Structures are given as structure tokens and as C-alpha cells.
Amino acid sequence: MRDSYEKKHIYSITRLCHLMAKSEVFEGDPSVAVAKVTAELKKELHRLVKAIIEDSSSEDENGFGFIDRANQTLQALKELKEGGKQRSSSIKRINDSNRNNNESSTSVWASCPQEFRCPLSKELMRDPVILSTGQTYDRPFIQKWLKAGNRICPRTQQVLSHTILTPNQLVRDMITQWCKNRGVQFPGPIQYPEQDGLTEADRDLFLSLLKKMSSTQSEQKEAARTLRSLTKRMPSFRALFGESLEAIPQLLTPLTQTKSQTEIHPDLQEDLITTLLNLSIHDNNKKHVAETPMVIPLLLDALRFGTIETRTNAAATLFTLSALDTNKTLIGKSGALKPLIDLLEEGHPSAMKDVASAIFNLCITHENKSRAVRDGAVRALLNKIKNRVHVDELLAILAMLSSNQRAVEEMGDLGAVSCLLSLIKETNCARNKENGIAVLYTICYYDRTKWKEMREEESNFGTLSQIVQNGTSRAKRKASGILDRLNRAINLTHTA
């Protein structure tokens, strides 16, 4: 009986302590917490008194133990009654303050202006940064987007010219002032725990997988598949390749040892090229990967002879590597634009996005524009645009190439004017209208033989005037420029 009572007593005291601790953060009426603790103390006192009475006939010392605990319980009950009112008042003040602050903060964040919210998280931006398209995002959310391999702006769907994130100090200052005006503190950037460091076992696995690249084909395929998976899931494994100059050559051993493309197992080639893609996503690897001598030639081989999945991933790798300007030049000089344009002409749906992204990025540099024009980019782009295939991406490339005079001459010869005018009339996309009118403006500037066609279009449909009224600011300027030229030409004709 006594053993049983001792267990109940221990449980009772434990529960009592729990209730007393909980009462300090009780969110309702604090008197309820005090009442609960008081009730527990009274129950405990009742048990102790009963135990004392039951043991009164005994002359052992347990009775004195019960009496001591009863005295302690009475003292606790006394202190609780005396201090309970004061403690309850304090608790109520704390909880009221917390509740008011929470309600106030929730109300403030709910009224946050739309321009202060990240387009990805829909929450107040804590570390606003600018993407290459000019759009602003909260850093951790756009970083997650980019690390997932995305190469377009989430908001505009434009292909990114680079993945550098620039702090938007103006927006940050505006958010800070907005918070200050409402009496709330500007929340700091969201902190995410860093990736767990690699263990020695991880490094041993890495080295053993690279070693298998010089073994039998079955072991090569197994190792390549594992490395593809590891570099996709773990940024730390991508970083490992940057720690040694020999790691990438070892990885690509199966592709450099074969004498002809027909000897390469398609699955093995796909896994190795995709691993290169995973490595190139890691910013610190871009220069190292591109400047490893065999990488770009092997990517070009993959573009020409691989499965469609391999060709697509090779194009994606060239895109991610070309985020660095020095790599743009290196890739352009290697002859990469021709196989990319060939793949574009083939028009396989799964490859188009990655191919267009790579061509766009490479053509940012002047010398690569000339190479793309020489390799047949204008004809390939116009054919796809006429068929309304990936118009957004391909029209952006065409607009970029329009700064090259030879490209403009080809556009005129290939019927770009009628193609673009019909596209401008039918599309609801402001960006496509802008790019289309920008190309027409350049054609108008270089080729007067196309003025008649544009003048007839304006006379019949008022296409240019509508752009002047409803287009983007850049589109309005270009459309106005075309109309000015056409009107001056008419006036000169009448004067003559």
C-alpha cells in the first residue's frame, strides 16, 4: 500500500509542477491556472492527512514522513494564496501584451502592399534582390527556384541572361520605412540551416565512384547513375568536383576513351552529361567546368549524337555555363551555336526551351550574334515563329539578332515583315508586341523597300497606331519612329 502511495505521490507532485510551470504562460484567465494548482494542493493535502490517520496506530517513522510532506503542502498552499493574486496579475499583463502585439503584427502584415510581397512566397520580402529581368524577389525563395535548375524568370517567363542576384536597397528601405510608420520592427532575413557537411565516408564514396569510371562498363554505368543522383540532391557533392582538377576528367573517362560515338552506351552518356548539368548549376563550378578541356567538345558531341534527353541536357548545360561572360565567349568560339540551331530546327518539344535558353544567353555577346547569323539562326527562328512555336523565347532571340545588319537583311528576304505584323495583331502578349515592333523598326531603318508593306498595313489596319496608343513605353517609341519615317517618306514624295 505504501509503495503504491509513494508512486501516486511522485506522480502528483510531478503533475503539480507541470501545472505550475504551465500557469506562467497560460493564455486565458490566469485565475483558472491558480485555481487548478490550488485544487491539486488541496487533493494532495487530503491524501496526506488520510495517510497520517491510517498510519497513526503504527509507531514506525513513516507517519512522520507523511506529516512533513503535509506541512510542506500546507506551506505551498499558503504561498500560492498569498502570491497568486500578484502572479496572476503579472501573467495577465504579459499575455495581454503578447496577444495585442500578435494581433497588431498580424494585422500589419496582412495590410502589406503587394509590391512589398515576394511573387514566389506572397509574403513580405525580408531580403529583396533583383533578378536579371528586373523583377524583385525575396532572396531565399528565388535562390531555391534557381537551385532547382529553373532558368527563366518566374514572373515574366523571360529567359535569364545571368543568375546574379543584386540587392534591391531601394525596396528594402521602403519596406523598412513602411514598418517604422506602423510601429513594427522590420523582420530580418529568413535564416536557413546550412547543408550538412560531408563526412569522410561521403568523400570515400565520391572517390570510389570516380575510380569506377575506369573500370568495366557495368560498373561505369552504376557509378554514373549514382553520381547523377547525388549531384542532383546534394549541393555538397557538386562542390566536391570543384576541389580537384582531376575530378571532372575522371568523371568523363568513359566518353574520352571510346573511339567513336557509336561505342558509347546511350544511358551512360545521358547520366554523365546530366551530371555535368548538375555540376554547372553550382556557381563556383561554372568556370572550372567550362575550362576543363574536354567538357565543351563532349557537350557538342552529345548535342549532335545523343538521345533527345542527352541533347536536351547538353543544351541546358551550355546555358547554365554561359551565365559567365567569359564562358559565353569560350562556348561561342567552340562552334556550339551550329548544333544548337540544328536542334532548334528539329523542333523536338522537350528540347525547345533549353535550346532557346542557350542560344539567347550566348547571343548576348556581339561576336556570338554574328556566329549565330552565319550558322542559320535567322531562318530557323522565323520558321518556328511563323508556325507559332515557342514564340515568346524565339522572338526575343530574333529581336536580339536584329542589331546585326546581315541578320536584318535576311529577315527582309525571308518575309519577316508580314510574319511580324500578323503576329503583332493576333497576340495579347505585350512583350511579344514590343519585340516584334523592335524588329520591324530595325528593318525599317535598314531596308526602305519594306516601307510600302508597312504603310499598307497601317492604312488597312492601323497596327502601328494601336501600338503607339496601347503598347509598352519601348514599343510606343519604336512604333512612333516607324510612323515618322513613313510619314516623312510620303511628304518627300508629294514635295517631289
Side-chain angles (χ1 to χ4, degrees):
M1 175 183 171
R2 286 173 187 152
D3 289 342
S4 175
Y5 176 79
E6 290 295 336
K7 290 177 182 178
K8 288 180 181 178
H9 178 75
I10 292 170
Y11 169 78
S12 176
I13 294 297
T14 302
R15 186 163 175 246
L16 177 64
C17 292
H18 172 71
L19 279 171
M20 292 182 72
K22 187 177 179 181
S23 71
E24 294 182 7
V25 291
F26 194 80
E27 294 183 353
D29 185 351
S31 62
V32 175
V34 174
K36 286 187 176 182
V37 176
T38 302
E40 282 296 318
L41 286 170
K42 287 180 177 179
K43 288 179 183 177
E44 182 64 19
L45 183 61
H46 177 75
R47 294 187 192 103
L48 289 168
V49 170
K50 185 177 179 181
I52 292 169
I53 294 171
E54 289 176 350
D55 284 349
S56 59
S57 60
S58 172
E59 295 190 3
D60 62 26
E61 60 182 8
N62 284 326
F64 294 102
F66 293 142
I67 292 170
D68 288 341
R69 284 194 290 273
N71 285 330
Q72 292 169 4
T73 304
L74 280 170
Q75 184 63 29
L77 188 59
K78 179 181 177 183
E79 290 175 359
L80 182 64
K81 284 184 175 292
E82 291 176 350
K85 187 174 182 179
Q86 182 178 355
R87 181 167 58 252
S88 296
S89 178
S90 299
I91 293 169
K92 190 175 187 304
R93 283 199 305 272
I94 292 171
N95 287 327
D96 286 348
S97 175
N98 288 339
R99 184 162 53 251
N100 290 337
N101 286 339
N102 289 337
E103 289 173 356
S104 174
S105 295
T106 301
S107 176
V108 168
W109 303 141
S111 65
C112 168
Q114 194 62 35
E115 57 268 27
F116 293 167
R117 298 177 184 271
C118 173
L120 291 172
S121 69
K122 309 302 181 186
E123 297 176 356
L124 181 76
M125 289 186 283
R126 304 179 178 203
D127 189 7
V129 293
I130 306 171
L131 204 55
S132 64
T133 56
Q135 299 295 317
T136 297
Y137 299 89
D138 204 1
R139 184 185 294 274
F141 297 99
I142 192 61
Q143 282 180 333
K144 183 178 180 181
W145 169 270
L146 295 174
K147 286 179 179 179
N150 295 299
R151 295 170 294 281
I152 58 173
C153 175
R155 197 169 198 175
T156 67
Q157 300 300 299
Q158 285 179 266
V159 178
L160 301 177
S161 58
H162 58 76
T163 56
I164 298 170
L165 302 177
T166 306
N168 193 332
Q169 196 58 49
L170 176 61
V171 170
R172 182 183 175 86
D173 290 345
M174 291 171 65
I175 295 174
T176 302
Q177 186 61 46
W178 181 84
C179 291
K180 184 178 179 182
N181 292 343
R182 283 152 184 78
V184 295
Q185 187 175 0
F186 176 72
I190 298 173
Q191 298 295 329
Y192 290 106
E194 295 293 329
Q195 292 283 342
D196 291 337
L198 291 172
T199 64
E200 284 302 315
D202 292 328
R203 292 180 180 275
D204 290 343
L205 172 63
F206 174 70
L207 294 175
S208 69
L209 291 171
L210 290 181
K211 188 175 181 181
K212 287 182 179 180
M213 290 302 169
S214 299
S215 186
T216 63
Q217 188 179 84
S218 60
E219 287 196 324
Q220 289 174 347
K221 289 169 65 177
E222 180 186 357
R225 196 178 307 114
T226 303
L227 282 169
R228 174 179 177 173
S229 175
L230 289 172
T231 53
K232 178 183 179 180
R233 293 184 292 104
M234 299 176 63
S236 48
F237 258 85
R238 297 175 210 154
L240 273 178
F241 279 88
E243 295 180 4
S244 168
L245 294 176
E246 298 303 317
I248 294 175
Q250 281 183 274
L251 170 73
L252 300 175
T253 299
L255 303 182
T256 56
Q257 284 182 340
T258 52
K259 295 180 180 180
S260 69
Q261 290 296 316
T262 56
E263 296 178 16
I264 301 173
H265 192 282
D267 292 343
L268 178 58
Q269 184 186 36
E270 181 185 332
D271 286 336
L272 293 176
I273 294 300
T274 307
T275 301
L276 279 180
L277 171 59
N278 295 340
L279 299 183
S280 68
I281 292 172
H282 195 80
D283 285 343
N284 292 339
N285 283 343
K286 293 185 191 299
K287 182 177 175 64
H288 175 47
V289 171
E291 292 182 356
T292 300
M294 73 271 297
V295 167
I296 294 178
L298 288 174
L299 288 172
L300 301 193
D301 286 342
L303 275 176
R304 297 186 184 100
F305 308 112
T307 64
I308 191 59
E309 290 80 9
T310 301
R311 299 172 78 189
T312 299
N313 288 343
T317 306
L318 291 173
F319 168 75
T320 56
L321 292 176
S322 64
L324 298 182
D325 288 342
T326 54
N327 287 352
K328 288 182 179 70
T329 302
L330 185 65
I331 294 168
K333 286 181 177 179
S334 72
L337 281 159
K338 183 63 169 69
L340 285 169
I341 293 167
D342 290 342
L343 186 52
L344 177 71
E345 284 190 292
E346 289 181 31
H348 197 286
S350 66
M352 291 294 286
K353 282 270 189 184
D354 290 302
V355 172
S357 300
I359 295 173
F360 180 93
N361 230 19
L362 290 171
C363 287
I364 289 172
T365 64
H366 179 72
E367 59 270 25
N368 283 341
K369 290 178 188 176
S370 299
R371 294 184 179 108
V373 173
R374 181 195 64 205
D375 291 335
V378 174
R379 182 181 296 275
L381 292 167
L382 276 175
N383 284 340
K384 295 301 177 187
I385 292 170
K386 286 177 182 178
N387 293 321
R388 303 299 189 257
V389 176
H390 285 281
V391 172
D392 297 6
E393 297 88 347
L394 303 187
L395 187 55
I397 300 173
L398 194 68
M400 185 182 296
L401 294 181
S402 67
S403 63
N404 180 281
Q405 187 169 350
R406 179 179 169 184
V408 175
E409 292 170 359
E410 282 192 41
M411 291 176 198
D413 295 340
L414 295 168
V417 173
S418 59
C419 170
L420 294 174
L421 286 172
S422 65
L423 177 65
I424 289 169
K425 282 186 293 188
E426 72 179 49
T427 185
N428 293 319
C429 176
R431 180 70 65 183
N432 287 346
K433 288 180 183 289
E434 178 182 310
N435 283 329
I437 208 72
V439 176
L440 288 174
Y441 176 85
T442 311
I443 294 174
C444 180
Y445 182 84
Y446 281 115
D447 190 351
R448 295 181 61 177
T449 65
K450 304 303 175 187
W451 290 10
K452 181 181 177 182
E453 189 175 354
M454 294 187 198
R455 193 160 48 238
E456 289 176 351
E457 174 74 22
E458 180 61 20
S459 176
N460 293 330
F461 303 103
T463 304
L464 298 172
S465 296
Q466 290 179 34
I467 295 293
V468 171
Q469 292 177 355
N470 304 315
T472 64
S473 58
R474 178 170 175 252
K476 288 178 180 178
R477 289 197 309 273
K478 299 294 184 181
S480 295
I482 296 173
L483 287 174
D484 287 345
R485 281 182 175 273
L486 297 181
N487 290 333
R488 284 202 301 271
I490 293 172
N491 292 334
L492 287 172
T493 302
H494 290 328
T495 302

